[in-house]
Amino acid sequence: MLKFSAFRHPSARRYPGYFWIINQPIDMAKIRARLRGMAADKVRTVCLHPVPENFRIDIDSTMSPPYLSEEYHRKIAEIVDCCAELGMNYYLYDEGGWPSGGACGQVWAADPEKFTWRSIVSDGDGGWKIVKDPVTPELAAPRPNLLEKGATEKFLELTHEGYRRHCGRHFGKTVHMAFTDEPLMPLKTPGKLGYCSDLFAEFRRRKGYALEDHLHDLLTRDNPVCMRGPLAETMIDYCEVMSQLFSERFLLPLRAWCRKHHLLSAGHFGGEDEWLNLRCNHFGGVLHSLRQLDCPGVDMIWHQLYPGERLHPFPKLASSAARQTGKREVLGEMFAIYGGGLTPAVMKYLVDYMLVCGVNTFVFSSTPEYTDQVDLSGGRPAFGPCDPLWMNFDLWHTYVARMSVLLTSGNAEADTAFYFDQRAIWLGTRESEYAVFNAADAAERLRRRQCDFDFIDDESILAARFCGGKLRIGSAKYARLVLPGHHRMSAAAAAKVAALRRRGFPVLTPDDIETIPPTLAVFPATEKLLVHKRALGGGQAGYMVMNTAATAVTVKLQAREDQPVAVADCDDGTFHPVPSLHGAWEWTFAPWESRFFLCAPVAAVPAPAAPQTCVRILTRWRLRPLVKHEVKEVRQIPCGAKAIPAKTGDWRPYLGEDFSGTARYTAEFRWNGTAEINFIDLGQVNYTAAVKLNGREIGRKFCGPFVFDLRGALRRGRNRLEITVANTLANALSPADVQEYWKKRRKVESPYNTIQLGFEKESLPSGLFGPVRLMK
């Protein structure tokens, strides 16, 4: 059931967390002040992310004390104590840098001979050989082979046990999640197979034949033309064994340790969004590995998702795995390498997209160690006071928290299962490309018909039960299964599917998608809307509906539940009644708008009045810069300039191309007391705003629509309006001299900087664009 008090006042656990990058000496006085500042800005969860000096040569760090030293652990314990005092959560990040599993080189250093990655390659003479992969500690901390026995045990000893000794009293309280980040095993690439010392014995035990007899063909015929027939099945067998070893020797020991100590095993793997790259088998079968986590997740970095560019269904891999294993929380790591020009509207769009895919617990990347020593030459954005938009981030945090409450209430409900052909992807052939294309295409067709679904694989099919006409996989129930037109399902899974079909269970192809009933019926049909459903018990349900388009859409929605309808208001934590009849209602979705509708009896509060008619457009403005944000040596400089006449629109002609910060627009207007004026609509704002009328704060908005209620502040005669606008850091980051300064300052240029500069060009126009309308 949905707890309305939890929606109005979310617990700290529902607020988004932040990767807190620690790459400088840890000064506890400054750390405590930083935590107090974050708590005041409604940052309720931090995930301290150590970046040791030896992590990577291209990522600057002067972190001290040394990673995992006793002094380091004592300081971390103080930080966790401070979080507990402030009522904040602390996520335990299990690595120094990434990928997880190596303790920033210390696991490998414990036994370099045993833990060095090894691969099987052709010997060039009709046979094969085992070679060591190159190790370059001077460039990056060596990662261990997590398939070797003892590697994970050493990792747990060095990291988790150290944290337990110093912070264990907070486990299950302030600390209730351990975050593992992109762990991986030796890769499968053309002409090369990952290896561990007992691979051949384990393969023979699990598959009943000798892998060695097939290695020459696997290595020399690993191409789209030759990987067919029995050889293809051998390659799949190899990938399955490696996947099983990865979960048994790394993921499951981590989970067991976490559960023993009252923590959730959480995290994500690398590259979940590029399905063709899953052929490398660097973390095993994606659904198989996600199922081993208590809080499975995905990450979203450098425009893997972006409005108007790419909306891919990969987040549903994590939500599918969670639902089938009875997990409540689904993790999303977001925003790394999106650049310093990331706007509030885009942030909300992307979080809403993750939510409608079933992701409901967030870690944003990232916030710097201190506010006065920030290096913006590497990964961006850097969330915090160094970002002009931070003035309204408390509103953003509350929105995410309230949506998280809604999307963790009850249980996700999707009655269609879609087969994810991991076996075909492993082959790395044309068949793999077809599998990826078919899966993405059919998944998109389902979603654009408002048919929510879960991904399943061979393993989950074999574990499924058929009961009451439904296919039951763990706690999930499905009314139908959609198979791609061509697939490489295992013989055992195919036999079970054939048996299901004989018993009358619908097994469909993509050609049948139009016959599948939607999760929420929409009239007229539109591809703009995505839907996610929460079953709340007692015939009640919640529906999240997202308009993914940049245009408005008016529709009639028909739920399966014959209940009164209310809509959630995440601004004030209430629900408003929606006129409905037998579970049907109409709604106009603004561009990029998302709404959560509750089909249940609820003590709803009447919706606030909305503006209807424009009374006057304000055109005479004065503009004064307030604070300028500099990025070479990060600082915020109060501006002493006087207000100047200005027009609405881009403020760069007035404030300069490189101005990032806050500026205030002022206007005066007279009101005779007879004309009805109740609201002000600012129109387009780039990118966040706060409004005062006659010295009284009217309101703040993180993103649009920028509509504010003037009643109570408007007075007869002269009225003075003040609108404070903040833009992004993109403008300050754009000048060529900034890049030259960083090149001279850094030992090695960040690999991320060039990528981010391209992104940041999209958000250079700044200011109050309007039109600014007084409304009744």
Side-chain angles (χ1 to χ4, degrees):
M1 293 292 292
L2 174 61
K3 295 181 179 179
F4 298 103
S5 61
F7 173 63
R8 189 168 181 80
H9 304 289
S11 69
R13 189 165 176 173
R14 299 273 53 88
Y15 279 78
Y18 278 88
F19 274 157
W20 188 10
I21 304 299
I22 304 299
N23 57 0
Q24 301 176 52
I26 299 176
D27 181 324
M28 286 309 303
K30 294 174 70 174
I31 288 288
R32 290 190 192 94
R34 183 83 169 89
L35 280 169
R36 289 193 294 271
M38 286 193 279
D41 293 327
K42 294 190 177 180
V43 176
R44 301 286 172 81
T45 298
V46 293
C47 183
L48 189 142
H49 190 311
V51 182
E53 284 189 280
N54 67 317
F55 166 47
R56 271 174 33 186
I57 192 173
D58 61 353
I59 295 184
D60 288 346
S61 174
T62 58
M63 183 186 126
S64 67
Y67 180 56
L68 299 182
S69 65
E70 280 299 303
E71 185 182 357
Y72 166 86
H73 276 302
R74 284 195 294 271
K75 287 184 180 291
I76 296 302
E78 288 186 60
I79 292 171
V80 179
D81 287 345
C82 189
C83 287
E85 293 167 6
L86 293 168
M88 298 172 68
N89 290 320
Y90 183 97
Y91 292 163
L92 176 63
Y93 190 80
D94 70 5
E95 187 52 76
W98 66 90
S100 288
C104 201
Q106 295 184 44
V107 173
W108 175 85
D111 194 338
E113 180 62 30
K114 181 178 182 181
F115 294 146
T116 293
W117 275 28
R118 287 175 169 79
S119 299
I120 309 168
V121 299
S122 172
D123 64 3
D125 194 27
W128 52 270
K129 60 183 178 180
I130 297 168
V131 298
K132 291 183 179 179
D133 287 12
V135 178
T136 53
E138 68 279 9
L139 299 180
R143 56 197 179 197
N145 186 343
L146 296 176
L147 301 187
E148 293 293 350
K149 294 178 179 178
T152 299
E153 289 74 13
K154 189 65 178 177
F155 175 60
L156 289 169
E157 173 194 329
L158 290 167
T159 56
H160 296 60
E161 282 297 324
Y163 289 118
R164 180 193 60 79
R165 289 194 304 272
H166 292 83
C167 309
R169 63 189 177 279
H170 294 293
F171 284 7
K173 303 169 188 174
T174 299
V175 185
H176 44 109
M177 180 185 292
F179 190 114
T180 196
D181 197 5
E182 300 187 359
L184 73 163
M185 60 180 169
L187 310 181
K188 176 185 82 70
T189 57
K192 182 177 177 181
L193 298 174
Y195 174 80
C196 64
S197 55
D198 61 345
L199 171 63
F200 298 149
E202 285 293 331
F203 188 95
R204 187 177 297 108
R205 182 175 71 84
R206 296 166 191 252
K207 296 299 181 181
Y209 65 97
L211 178 64
E212 305 95 296
D213 296 343
H214 304 272
L215 286 176
H216 173 70
D217 286 342
L218 289 175
L219 294 166
T220 59
R221 300 175 64 191
D222 185 7
N223 61 71
V225 176
C226 299
M227 188 58 63
R228 297 177 178 175
L231 187 63
E233 289 300 315
T234 301
M235 179 63 85
I236 292 170
D237 283 348
Y238 161 80
C239 291
E240 283 183 347
V241 170
M242 293 287 280
S243 181
Q244 292 164 5
L245 291 174
F246 183 63
S247 62
E248 292 167 11
R249 295 183 178 179
F250 183 72
L251 297 175
L252 291 177
L254 252 66
R255 189 178 75 183
W257 190 95
C258 288
R259 289 180 175 180
K260 178 180 178 180
H261 298 290
H262 313 293
L263 300 176
L264 293 176
S265 168
H268 82 97
F269 306 103
E272 305 100 338
D273 70 304
E274 293 291 349
W275 288 352
L276 196 57
N277 288 344
L278 301 179
R279 61 190 173 184
C280 296
N281 200 39
H282 49 300
F283 54 82
V286 59
L287 285 168
H288 168 84
S289 293
L290 286 167
R291 283 193 289 266
Q292 314 313 313
L293 299 172
D294 291 319
C295 181
V298 295
D299 77 348
M300 183 205 72
I301 62 176
W302 46 28
H303 283 212
Q304 289 172 339
L305 299 171
Y306 201 81
E309 290 182 11
R310 187 179 193 241
L311 290 183
H312 192 279
F314 73 87
K316 291 194 63 62
L317 291 168
S319 58
S320 299
R323 183 163 174 249
Q324 292 155 12
T325 51
K327 311 294 172 49
R328 176 169 174 252
E329 293 175 285
V330 185
L331 184 69
E333 175 198 324
M334 300 186 65
F335 301 134
I337 322 303
Y338 268 70
L342 187 62
T343 69
V346 170
M347 291 174 63
K348 181 179 180 297
Y349 184 101
L350 295 174
V351 164
D352 285 347
Y353 180 79
M354 295 288 264
L355 287 162
V356 85
C357 289
V359 177
N360 54 30
T361 302
F362 297 97
V363 175
F364 295 159
S365 184
S366 61
T367 192
E369 186 169 355
Y370 306 120
T371 59
D372 61 344
Q373 295 170 276
V374 183
D375 179 9
L376 293 172
S377 64
R380 300 187 288 275
F383 296 117
C386 61
D387 184 346
L389 301 174
W390 193 252
M391 65 182 244
N392 284 337
F393 257 66
D394 58 325
L395 306 176
W396 168 235
H397 298 150
T398 300
Y399 172 81
V400 177
R402 285 176 171 153
M403 288 300 290
S404 179
V405 170
L406 297 174
L407 272 293
T408 51
S409 298
N411 297 294
E413 184 174 294
D415 57 6
T416 298
F418 186 88
Y419 178 66
F420 187 80
D421 198 352
Q422 176 71 71
R423 287 164 51 86
I425 293 172
W426 270 330
L427 293 178
T429 65
R430 293 285 183 270
E431 188 176 346
S432 309
E433 296 174 7
Y434 294 144
V436 167
F437 173 80
N438 290 336
D441 178 68
E444 192 65 9
R445 288 171 56 201
L446 280 165
R447 296 197 306 159
R448 293 300 174 179
R449 294 191 68 255
Q450 295 79 50
C451 299
D452 203 5
F453 66 92
D454 286 336
F455 288 114
I456 65 172
D457 60 5
D458 293 75
E459 185 177 68
S460 49
I461 289 173
L462 292 173
R465 298 174 293 114
F466 185 65
C467 181
K470 298 290 181 71
L471 186 68
R472 297 174 179 259
I473 302 174
S475 56
K477 298 184 292 184
Y478 303 105
R480 65 196 63 83
L481 169 63
V482 178
L483 298 180
H486 174 80
H487 55 80
R488 189 173 279 273
M489 187 179 289
S490 67
K496 186 163 186 177
V497 169
L500 289 170
R501 187 184 274 117
R502 289 194 296 271
R503 296 179 67 180
F505 183 75
V507 179
L508 311 178
T509 73
D511 292 338
D512 303 314
I513 284 176
E514 281 65 29
T515 69
I516 297 174
T519 304
L520 178 68
V522 178
F523 308 98
T526 177
E527 294 186 350
K528 296 178 180 179
L529 302 183
L530 300 180
V531 172
H532 175 84
K533 181 179 179 179
R534 310 295 299 185
L536 302 175
Q540 302 175 9
Y543 292 91
M544 181 178 177
V545 185
M546 178 184 183
N547 179 14
T548 61
T551 55
V553 56
T554 298
V555 291
K556 179 180 179 181
L557 305 171
Q558 176 67 65
R560 300 176 187 178
E561 296 77 19
D562 186 357
Q563 296 276 7
V565 179
V567 63
D569 185 336
C570 288
D571 287 340
D572 63 9
T574 61
F575 284 85
H576 305 308
V578 176
S580 63
L581 180 64
H582 301 306
W585 68 100
E586 292 185 354
W587 197 264
T588 296
F589 291 89
W592 292 11
E593 183 182 28
S594 294
R595 288 289 187 170
F596 186 92
F597 298 99
L598 182 65
C599 294
V602 59
V605 177
Q612 302 295 326
T613 306
C614 177
V615 176
R616 187 188 310 175
I617 296 177
L618 301 181
T619 58
R620 301 182 63 181
W621 296 94
R622 298 183 67 82
L623 173 63
R624 182 168 73 89
L626 300 178
V627 177
K628 183 175 183 179
H629 287 239
E630 293 195 349
V631 297
K632 291 178 182 176
E633 299 295 335
V634 172
R635 56 182 180 164
Q636 294 84 55
I637 303 174
C639 301
K642 295 182 178 179
I644 60 173
K647 296 180 180 180
T648 53
D650 196 340
W651 71 26
R652 286 182 292 175
Y654 304 103
L655 304 183
E657 294 288 332
D658 66 343
F659 184 86
S660 289
T662 55
R664 180 168 296 153
Y665 292 82
T666 56
E668 294 185 353
F669 64 92
R670 299 189 67 81
W671 180 56
N672 60 15
T674 58
E676 183 181 355
I677 296 177
N678 298 320
F679 304 96
I680 186 168
D681 183 344
L682 305 188
Q684 180 184 338
V685 176
N686 289 13
Y687 287 97
T688 196
V691 178
K692 287 184 177 181
L693 183 63
N694 300 321
R696 174 176 172 180
E697 183 172 314
I698 298 301
R700 297 180 294 134
K701 294 276 186 155
F702 181 66
C703 58
F706 292 95
V707 177
F708 301 88
D709 193 330
L710 298 181
R711 289 172 292 185
L714 190 65
R715 63 191 183 196
R716 289 177 181 268
R718 186 172 65 88
N719 288 266
R720 178 178 172 81
L721 179 67
E722 299 173 78
I723 304 172
T724 301
V725 174
N727 66 342
T728 75
L729 280 177
N731 303 69
L733 293 162
S734 64
D737 68 304
V738 172
Q739 307 307 314
E740 290 301 320
Y741 175 83
W742 285 341
K743 285 180 181 178
K744 293 176 183 178
R745 183 174 179 271
R746 292 181 65 99
K747 292 181 291 185
V748 178
E749 185 176 3
S750 167
Y752 308 125
N753 189 46
T754 301
I755 298 169
Q756 295 169 137
L757 286 172
F759 297 156
E760 286 156 356
K761 292 177 181 178
E762 300 170 2
S763 52
L764 294 176
S766 306
L768 176 63
F769 285 72
V772 180
R773 300 178 295 167
L774 300 176
M775 310 283 291
K776 67 176 182 180

